[in-house]
Amino acid sequence: MTLDLNIPRTRVASIAALLAASGVHAGVITVTGAGSSESFSDMADAIAWVSDASRSMNQYDVHVAGSFNSVAAFDLPSNVSLGWGDSPGILEVLGTRQTSINLNGGLNLEMAGTNNAGAFGVPRAPVQYDTILALDAKSVNVGGVVTITLLNSFVPVLGNSFEVVATNSTINWSGSVNGPVL
């Protein structure tokens, strides 16, 4: 199984236009860990909370509820695992050509199939695996553990590919993948 990490620039532009027109936004962001649970409406507030010096030694899970979410660019600390969507979903990270998105914590990806046309702007098409749309970022740096969970008895076969991070910029990969044995 391979993970394709780029899509053509023309597709990215059409995706951005579709998402801007649909008025997507972030759902409730829930942070759990170290015996507590907190809710936020802004990703920056959630990341600031877990990055606080008094919490830096603890491990946290951040989950963004909702199928389509749009959040401002953020850096994911190494002590945080990120999941999103209503099994599975899309997380659009809004950056600028001067902003690098650093995902140094864990990413929790859910996969229920190979058809993800809905994530890339096809009306009424399914979203069968989690996707990050990091449009117009300077770069996307993935340095943590990507954990893959298969849903609904889905079993990938040799030759399947998944665009789990879609961007029109550079992706720097230094992470690892933790998934089912295929």
Side-chain angles (χ1 to χ4, degrees):
M1 175 174 68
T2 62
L3 299 175
D4 292 339
L5 300 176
N6 286 300
I7 61 174
R9 187 175 191 80
T10 54
R11 279 179 57 193
V12 169
S14 65
I15 294 164
L18 175 74
L19 290 172
S22 65
V24 293
H25 61 282
V28 175
I29 300 163
T30 305
V31 178
T32 56
S36 66
S37 179
E38 300 287 333
S39 294
F40 300 89
S41 59
D42 183 77
M43 182 63 91
D45 292 340
I47 296 301
W49 189 84
V50 297
S51 296
D52 183 288
S54 65
R55 297 178 182 89
S56 64
M57 299 305 293
N58 296 316
Q59 194 66 31
Y60 292 93
D61 291 314
V62 174
H63 187 269
V64 183
S67 295
F68 293 87
N69 297 286
S70 183
V71 297
F74 61 93
D75 288 340
L76 187 67
S78 60
N79 67 321
V80 176
S81 293
L82 177 65
W84 62 94
D86 291 335
S87 300
I90 301 165
L91 182 64
E92 178 188 27
V93 181
L94 304 171
T96 67
R97 295 304 293 170
Q98 290 76 42
T99 305
S100 290
I101 298 168
N102 301 302
L103 305 173
N104 296 312
L107 298 178
N108 298 319
L109 300 176
E110 297 174 321
M111 297 180 171
T114 59
N115 186 347
N116 220 32
F120 299 106
V122 177
R124 295 183 294 280
V127 174
Q128 292 186 326
Y129 57 88
D130 284 336
T131 303
I132 295 177
L133 300 176
L135 308 175
D136 291 326
K138 179 179 177 183
S139 65
V140 179
N141 305 307
V142 181
V145 176
V146 176
T147 300
I148 298 171
T149 302
L150 302 177
L151 305 174
N152 303 331
S153 303
F154 171 65
V155 178
V157 296
L158 187 61
N160 289 154
S161 65
F162 305 89
E163 295 176 277
V164 296
V165 177
T167 185
N168 56 356
S169 63
T170 303
I171 295 175
N172 301 306
W173 173 267
S174 61
S176 60
V177 176
N178 178 20
V181 177
L182 304 175

